[in-house]
Amino acid sequence: MSHEEKVYTKLKQHYHCAQAIFATYASDYGMDQETAYRTMACFAAGMYTGSVCGCVTAALAVLGLAYGFSDTKDREREIFGTKIAEEFVDRFQERMEGKFNCADILENNISTAEGMASIRREGMIKKKCTQAIQTSIEILEDMLQAYPGMLAGKQAEPSCDEQEIEKITYLVKRAQKIQHFESNVRDLILHSSKSIACIQFDISRFKIINDIYGERMGDQILQFIKDNLAEICNETQYYLNLRSDVFVVLSEFQHESELDELIRQIQARCKMFKNIKLTYSIGVYIVNDRKMDLRQIEDRAAMARKKAKGNMMNNVLYYQEEFKEMLYIRKFIEESIPSAIDEKQFQMYLQPKYSIVQNHIVGAEALVRWQHPDRGMIYPNEFIPVIEENGYIKKVDYYIWKEACNFLKRCEQAGIKNCPVSVNVSRLHLTDTVFMDYLAQTIHEADIPKEQLELEITETIGDEQISNMAELLKQQGYKLLMDDFGSGYSSLNILLETPFDVITLDKKFMENMMVSEKGRLILEYVVAMADKLGLELLAEGVETEEQVELLRKIGCDNVQGYYYAKPMPVEDFFELLQKDRQSINSL
């Protein structure tokens, strides 16, 4: 039977359109029918209110399975997925004369008895839904063939240049490799009579290696590890480069000593590339429940790997049940974030920036705090890593930007000048220019000078995409701050060509420079160099009088840290700022 025939068979069995389409195609990618039906069941609620067309929802979910772009930890795949999703929606709307939601397609909705009766009387469900189902299947079939077709030498779309084709080809190959890995692993877990283990590892200080030797060397190291894994792993041991420097190996074993030997081989074979010594953080999870989703298996191995990073005695850790608490916290955060955004549980805190010489506030940094109605205050170190991975960081950033603009307008109306607020621009924004439109619109709505909202971007060596975005923001008139300067080993190099206006000295950099005369001398030269290059400096994490006096002596005037003030709620900062400005006016 064709996919189309299977879909209509399921419709006759009274499955709704999203279930019928998704379950038909999901089986091609190893998902059982019951799971597929269950996955799509929740979309019935949206369809009944007329807000979501199940045909579109199911088709996008199928494309996610096919090309693996549902994993937001893999930025390249996520960007590729966004491109494919946009293409599907555009083609669907074009074929459906701009209609997208159930209520539009049916020209009514089925949330009321009257609406349902009217639709049935007019035969609209059969007529209109058939059109939407047919359209989505035809577009889906075409797209599932189009991108892999590029690998077979088929003609690409005229709008795609060579670089775009090369990127799509790479991503499709990667998606196929991931599918092959997941299929083999599922088969191993279901049919092996032996025990199964998931080994996940990453390269210690890989970012520093990239900073010192360049990304090309980093890529060569990753390929070196892949080549060695290909020789080490046998026919029942499957490996994959999950993302960046994170690798995973699924292996069957009889005794744990076999796992120890496999790990020993990996570390021995991959310990040195050219003149670079490589060390690893390794987590191991032994699969107890073979019905567990592969992502859950990998998550448990990842928890052990992350725990191994902080273990000075042993770089290999097996998953322990107490790690579950980390999983529960993560799950709680993931499930609570959407309502937290809708209910405005996030709050903007402001930390003052001071001039040492004037002893007055010269600006502030906007920070985010999460005031949960049940759990109370949740701090950024708990939720920021999670929302960076699942993409919600974008919405949180948007919220903070808007709050910062509103605060700046309030200051202007109160006659308070020269107190710019800096906001963070997360890396996820810097993959495209969409955020720039939102930023410009938010500033326009608040009716504030653009230079009053400063943008902080974390130092990133060798990332051409981020450098280009920073340059574009600079051209648009924004004041740019390079955040966490000194956290990498190549920081001094980027001062030569940086588009940034202000360099913020990282707290750890400050601490490290304070422990010796040599360190203080380095700090003095950094300040002098920035001054000659026309760059402003802001020292973060200033906590002691000794640090303040040294910074005063070497000419770094702007500071931020607990010595002066902690991050505080908006109202507290506004009150502090008013007192500060009153003291200036009284002089």
Side-chain angles (χ1 to χ4, degrees):
M1 293 175 69
S2 67
H3 285 128
E4 183 179 342
E5 290 170 332
K6 290 179 181 178
V7 169
Y8 282 104
T9 297
K10 289 177 170 54
L11 289 170
K12 289 177 182 177
Q13 296 170 351
H14 303 293
Y15 290 105
H16 62 64
C17 58
Q19 291 176 314
I21 293 173
F22 185 69
T24 293
Y25 286 90
S27 59
D28 295 347
Y29 304 101
M31 183 180 289
D32 64 89
Q33 296 289 281
E34 183 181 346
T35 301
Y37 290 137
R38 221 171 32 240
T39 301
M40 285 293 114
C42 59
F43 291 100
M47 290 158 52
Y48 291 151
T49 61
S51 61
V52 180
C53 177
C55 304
V56 174
T57 300
L60 293 178
V62 171
L63 289 168
L65 277 180
Y67 296 114
F69 57 74
S70 58
D71 185 357
T72 56
K73 294 179 182 178
D74 191 323
R75 291 297 304 138
E76 287 183 325
R77 289 164 67 194
E78 187 184 11
I79 294 167
F80 177 54
T82 301
K83 172 184 171 61
I84 290 180
E86 288 173 349
E87 179 182 337
F88 179 91
V89 171
D90 288 344
R91 291 174 64 175
F92 183 87
Q93 286 184 304
E94 183 179 358
R95 292 269 300 271
M96 296 295 293
E97 300 178 343
K99 295 175 180 177
F100 184 72
N101 292 332
C102 271
D104 297 329
I105 293 169
L106 296 172
E107 298 175 2
N108 210 321
N109 65 64
I110 53 179
S111 60
T112 65
E114 294 80 6
M116 176 68 82
S118 173
I119 290 168
R120 283 177 172 163
R121 264 198 318 273
E122 298 167 14
M124 294 297 281
I125 288 183
K126 181 177 179 181
K127 181 178 170 184
K128 293 292 185 180
C129 283
T130 298
Q131 181 187 358
I133 291 168
Q134 191 69 33
T135 298
S136 63
I137 291 174
E138 289 173 4
I139 298 172
L140 188 55
E141 292 279 344
D142 184 56
M143 292 184 69
L144 289 173
Q145 295 174 15
Y147 289 99
M150 289 183 180
L151 303 181
K154 292 185 180 180
Q155 184 65 37
E157 291 292 326
S159 59
C160 294
D161 57 26
E162 289 185 11
Q163 188 175 8
E164 183 76 3
I165 294 171
E166 183 179 343
K167 187 170 186 179
I168 290 173
T169 301
Y170 162 75
L171 289 167
V172 171
K173 284 183 177 178
R174 177 161 166 71
Q176 291 173 335
K177 191 177 294 184
I178 292 169
Q179 291 168 17
H180 184 65
F181 168 80
E182 292 177 346
S183 176
N184 285 334
V185 167
R186 278 192 292 265
D187 187 65
L188 180 70
I189 291 173
L190 289 174
H191 300 110
S192 176
S193 59
K194 298 181 179 180
S195 298
I196 305 293
C198 177
I199 302 169
Q200 192 178 113
F201 65 91
D202 64 16
I203 305 169
S204 302
R205 298 180 296 279
F206 185 64
K207 181 184 182 299
I208 293 176
I209 293 173
N210 267 337
D211 287 352
I212 296 174
Y213 299 101
E215 290 191 357
R216 180 174 295 181
M217 179 67 81
D219 291 340
Q220 291 176 4
I221 291 172
L222 298 180
Q223 188 59 52
F224 164 72
I225 295 173
K226 292 174 193 175
D227 292 342
N228 276 291
L229 287 175
E231 294 182 13
I232 294 169
C233 295
N234 60 37
E235 65 275 4
T236 57
Q237 294 170 325
Y238 303 105
Y239 69 91
L240 181 70
N241 183 190
L242 273 180
R243 60 191 170 275
S244 183
D245 63 317
V246 180
F247 291 81
V248 63
V249 179
L250 266 291
S251 175
E252 62 179 11
F253 67 97
Q254 197 75 46
H255 304 288
E256 284 194 18
S257 59
E258 298 172 38
L259 288 181
D260 295 336
E261 175 59 22
L262 175 58
I263 293 169
R264 189 199 65 76
Q265 284 188 52
I266 292 172
Q267 295 194 90
R269 292 281 294 270
C270 304
K271 69 179 180 181
M272 186 72 70
F273 180 76
K274 296 183 178 180
N275 63 334
I276 303 173
K277 184 179 180 181
L278 303 174
T279 57
Y280 302 91
S281 299
I282 303 173
V284 184
Y285 174 64
I286 296 176
V287 181
N288 295 318
D289 180 3
R290 301 212 176 195
K291 293 182 180 179
M292 184 181 291
D293 184 74
L294 180 56
R295 169 55 68 83
Q296 292 178 299
I297 292 172
E298 291 175 358
D299 280 347
R300 282 162 171 75
M303 280 188 274
R305 170 177 61 84
K306 291 172 183 176
K307 276 286 186 180
K309 282 182 179 295
N311 194 318
M312 300 298 293
M313 304 299 294
N314 187 6
N315 71 319
V316 181
L317 282 183
Y318 280 70
Y319 174 82
Q320 300 171 30
E321 280 301 308
E322 52 260 38
F323 293 175
K324 273 188 178 180
E325 181 61 27
M326 293 170 56
L327 189 65
Y328 293 148
I329 292 173
R330 181 186 180 89
K331 190 172 186 299
F332 163 77
I333 290 172
E334 288 178 332
E335 292 177 349
S336 302
I337 284 288
S339 59
I341 292 172
D342 293 340
E343 297 169 10
K344 296 186 177 181
Q345 295 172 14
F346 289 105
Q347 298 177 3
M348 181 177 73
Y349 270 47
L350 293 167
Q351 184 171 23
K353 300 174 184 178
Y354 277 83
S355 161
I356 296 176
V357 174
Q358 299 175 15
N359 195 32
H360 288 298
I361 296 172
V362 293
E365 179 183 5
L367 303 167
V368 62
R369 297 291 185 266
W370 182 2
Q371 185 65 43
H372 191 272
D374 299 321
R375 293 206 173 193
M377 184 66 75
I378 303 176
Y379 290 94
N381 63 310
E382 297 178 76
F383 66 85
I384 291 292
V386 178
I387 64 175
E388 283 180 336
E389 289 182 5
N390 63 26
Y392 275 110
I393 186 69
K394 290 183 177 181
K395 291 187 176 182
V396 173
D397 278 352
Y398 283 172
Y399 175 76
I400 295 298
W401 297 351
K402 193 172 185 66
E403 290 291 293
C405 287
N406 291 340
F407 176 78
L408 287 167
K409 185 63 178 179
R410 179 182 177 186
C411 288
E412 182 183 285
Q413 292 172 339
I416 298 173
K417 300 179 179 179
N418 301 320
C419 186
V421 174
S422 61
V423 296
N424 184 61
V425 179
S426 302
R427 287 179 58 91
L428 292 189
H429 291 295
L430 300 172
T431 56
D432 55 51
T433 59
V434 173
F435 77 97
M436 294 185 189
D437 295 333
Y438 181 88
L439 195 56
Q441 181 65 27
T442 303
I443 291 172
H444 174 73
E445 289 175 356
D447 191 25
I448 59 170
K450 183 180 287 187
E451 61 271 15
Q452 287 298 296
L453 188 72
E454 301 176 342
L455 308 182
E456 293 195 22
I457 300 175
T458 301
E459 169 194 349
T460 304
I461 308 300
D463 193 320
E464 186 176 355
Q465 173 74 12
I466 291 181
S467 297
N468 291 339
M469 285 292 183
E471 188 63 49
L472 187 56
L473 287 166
K474 176 74 171 176
Q475 292 170 8
Q476 293 182 1
Y478 291 102
K479 188 170 185 178
L480 303 183
L481 286 69
M482 180 195 293
D483 199 16
D484 295 341
F485 177 86
S487 59
Y489 275 53
S490 300
S491 298
L492 293 178
N493 295 337
I494 57 175
L495 289 180
L496 300 175
E497 301 178 358
T498 178
F500 294 88
D501 303 288
V502 182
I503 306 299
T504 65
L505 300 179
D506 179 67
K507 177 182 177 182
K508 289 184 179 178
F509 177 74
M510 284 290 302
E511 292 173 351
N512 292 338
M513 293 304 104
M514 292 294 294
V515 297
S516 68
E517 283 302 318
K518 189 178 291 186
R520 294 176 185 221
L521 187 60
I522 291 172
L523 181 59
E524 183 176 349
Y525 277 113
V526 168
V527 173
M529 187 185 305
D531 181 59
K532 289 183 179 180
L533 292 172
L535 297 170
E536 297 177 36
L537 274 180
L538 170 70
E540 295 183 319
V542 175
E543 297 182 350
T544 66
E545 187 174 352
E546 180 188 13
Q547 290 174 325
V548 172
E549 288 307 313
L550 175 61
L551 291 167
R552 185 201 305 271
K553 179 181 176 182
I554 63 178
C556 179
D557 185 45
N558 291 341
V559 295
Q560 178 185 2
Y562 281 18
Y563 180 82
Y564 285 93
K566 296 180 180 181
M568 60 189 73
V570 170
E571 291 304 320
D572 292 351
F573 177 75
F574 188 70
E575 183 179 341
L576 178 67
L577 183 59
Q578 284 181 311
K579 291 178 180 178
D580 180 85
R581 291 302 187 259
Q582 288 169 3
S583 66
I584 293 176
N585 295 333
S586 65
L587 295 177

